[in-house]
Amino acid sequence: MAQSVGIKDVARAAGVSVGTVSNVINRPDAVASDTRSRVLSAIDRLGYVRSESARQLRAGRSRIMGLLVLDMGNPFFVDVARGAERAARAAGLGVMVCNSAQSPSEEAEYLSLFAEQRVRGVLLTPADASGRNIESLRRHGIPFVLVDRVAEGTSECSVSVDDVAGGALAVRHLVDAGHRSIAYLSGPPGLNQVKDRRVGALQALAEAGLPPEALRELSTERLDVAAGRDAGARLLGLAERPTAAFCANDLLALGVLQAMYAAGVRVPEDIAIVGYDDIEFAAAAAVPLTSVRQPAVTMGAMAAELLLEETEPGDEPHEHRRVVLQPELVVRRSSLGSR
């Protein structure tokens, strides 16, 4: 294995002190041009690459922020990461993206990794409903911003979407189309987003004078297409099948759509389907999917900007903020049939 080249090797090759090499790298204007040229020539000849991690440890400030999401298989979180990366890059920082896979234990491991790497701060969509993992960030003194989650019971920053309003938008649309029995494919019940969308759905039913029993909840262990197909099969097996399905995200909805297609059940004529997130695949589905749109890129960018505000030195002390964005219903063919 080739031995790495250090700053002492460069100094020796250029016939200068280690301090002079450091100045050429960090403060080139402070070094005479002839000396600077000699050092740069030695750097090029030896293939020296400075240790960014060592530099950051000396400075006490990392140029990396961590981003931990629930599921990188979900295009929604890809868009969140894209927004965060865009804002971080504009500030000269990078983003380390990790995937908890909706597992509290994997989330804890990644947060420990972030602490070891001494990241600037963390953008987090929590998988652990107990809050223990968030508490570990506080113990390590690592600034964080919650993404796609309201910072309940904490003073830290958060950027989220009003999921209660989103759930109400979806079910109000179905009720207005004449549906009186609606399935809610909810995903893991411990996720706050899932619970809030259910609250909104029940509010829309109450507004229409319909009882809570008009919403038939079918929970799933995951929020992916395979879980949607399984839930779709359960939906087809109900003795009194609802005429519409509201899904906690678009991947579930796409799985339900596949299950209906395989069984010869027509969408939207036999059952209407509404998803959540409005990922790119929603509009491209065999039956274009009605969905509640979340501004995912904006959410990621705003979260990164809040973290930058908190970690960059400034004249005014940072004030934590809870930013709540509004969802939007995008109506497509999957819900256009009327009862």
Side-chain angles (χ1 to χ4, degrees), residues 61-76:
R61 295 180 60 75
S62 171
R63 293 179 57 243
I64 299 293
M65 64 174 65
L67 170 61
L68 184 55
V69 300
L70 287 176
D71 181 11
M72 280 306 292
N74 186 340
F76 167 75

Side-chain angles (χ1 to χ4, degrees), residues 96-119:
M96 181 191 299
V97 182
C98 297
N99 175 28
S100 72
Q102 302 173 40
S103 165
S105 61
E106 290 192 34
E107 177 179 84
E109 291 175 6
Y110 278 123
L111 292 180
S112 293
L113 174 64
F114 289 156
E116 290 170 7
Q117 295 298 316
R118 302 192 186 186
V119 296

Side-chain angles (χ1 to χ4, degrees), residues 34-115:
D34 289 348
T35 304
R36 187 167 65 244
S37 297
R38 195 163 70 251
V39 170
L40 290 174
S41 177
I43 287 174
D44 184 59
R45 187 169 67 254
L46 297 176
Y48 168 75
V49 177
R50 71 173 175 176
S51 172
E52 180 63 19
S53 60
R55 188 191 70 80
Q56 291 174 180
L57 286 174
R58 287 193 300 273
R61 295 180 60 75
S62 171
R63 293 179 57 243
I64 299 293
M65 64 174 65
L67 170 61
L68 184 55
V69 300
L70 287 176
D71 181 11
M72 280 306 292
N74 186 340
F76 167 75
F77 288 110
V78 175
D79 285 343
V80 169
R82 189 153 51 92
E85 191 271 339
R86 184 181 300 168
R89 188 175 65 232
L93 273 67
V95 179
M96 181 191 299
V97 182
C98 297
N99 175 28
S100 72
Q102 302 173 40
S103 165
S105 61
E106 290 192 34
E107 177 179 84
E109 291 175 6
Y110 278 123
L111 292 180
S112 293
L113 174 64
F114 289 156

Side-chain angles (χ1 to χ4, degrees), residues 4-323:
S4 62
V5 176
I7 194 169
K8 291 181 180 179
D9 299 309
V10 174
R12 189 179 306 114
V16 298
S17 68
V18 169
T20 298
V21 177
S22 178
N23 282 337
V24 169
I25 294 170
N26 298 300
R27 297 188 300 131
D29 292 342
V31 182
S33 60
D34 289 348
T35 304
R36 187 167 65 244
S37 297
R38 195 163 70 251
V39 170
L40 290 174
S41 177
I43 287 174
D44 184 59
R45 187 169 67 254
L46 297 176
Y48 168 75
V49 177
R50 71 173 175 176
S51 172
E52 180 63 19
S53 60
R55 188 191 70 80
Q56 291 174 180
L57 286 174
R58 287 193 300 273
R61 295 180 60 75
S62 171
R63 293 179 57 243
I64 299 293
M65 64 174 65
L67 170 61
L68 184 55
V69 300
L70 287 176
D71 181 11
M72 280 306 292
N74 186 340
F76 167 75
F77 288 110
V78 175
D79 285 343
V80 169
R82 189 153 51 92
E85 191 271 339
R86 184 181 300 168
R89 188 175 65 232
L93 273 67
V95 179
M96 181 191 299
V97 182
C98 297
N99 175 28
S100 72
Q102 302 173 40
S103 165
S105 61
E106 290 192 34
E107 177 179 84
E109 291 175 6
Y110 278 123
L111 292 180
S112 293
L113 174 64
F114 289 156
E116 290 170 7
Q117 295 298 316
R118 302 192 186 186
V119 296
R120 173 75 61 93
V122 174
L123 309 177
L124 171 67
T125 303
D128 178 23
S130 73
R132 284 190 297 269
N133 289 339
I134 290 177
E135 188 56 39
S136 73
L137 289 174
R138 294 195 188 97
R139 285 199 307 273
H140 286 101
I142 299 174
F144 65 90
V145 176
L146 298 182
V147 185
D148 194 31
R149 165 85 175 269
V150 176
E152 297 172 346
T154 179
S155 62
E156 282 84 7
C157 291
S158 66
V159 182
S160 63
V161 166
D162 189 340
D163 283 314
V164 174
L169 279 174
V171 171
R172 194 178 296 124
H173 167 68
L174 293 171
V175 168
D176 289 345
H179 297 281
R180 296 296 179 265
S181 178
I182 300 168
Y184 177 43
L185 279 67
S186 62
L191 292 178
N192 281 13
Q193 297 91 327
V194 164
K195 291 189 250 184
D196 286 348
R197 290 165 198 177
R198 181 178 182 275
V199 169
L202 291 172
Q203 284 184 3
L205 291 177
E207 290 170 6
L210 296 172
E213 293 76 23
L215 192 73
R216 300 280 299 276
E217 183 169 1
L218 299 175
S219 63
T220 64
E221 291 185 359
R222 301 187 64 80
L223 288 162
D224 55 26
V225 174
R229 283 195 298 267
D230 292 343
R234 282 190 282 150
L235 180 59
L236 289 169
L238 294 177
E240 296 182 8
R241 185 194 306 165
T243 61
F246 167 42
C247 304
N249 78 353
D250 284 342
L251 296 183
L252 285 178
L254 292 171
V256 172
L257 184 60
Q258 290 179 6
M260 298 302 115
Y261 181 81
V265 176
R266 298 171 303 165
V267 176
E269 292 84 359
D270 299 325
I271 186 167
I273 301 176
V274 175
Y276 206 103
D277 290 339
D278 195 33
I279 62 176
E280 184 177 355
F281 300 130
V287 178
L289 183 66
T290 294
S291 184
V292 177
R293 175 178 294 166
Q294 298 200 81
V297 174
T298 299
M299 196 182 305
M302 292 187 73
E305 288 164 2
L306 285 174
L307 188 60
L308 288 167
E309 285 179 16
E310 183 172 357
T311 58
E312 289 288 345
D315 296 332
E316 299 294 329
H318 173 75
E319 292 186 8
H320 290 307
R321 286 187 284 151
R322 295 182 181 181
V323 178

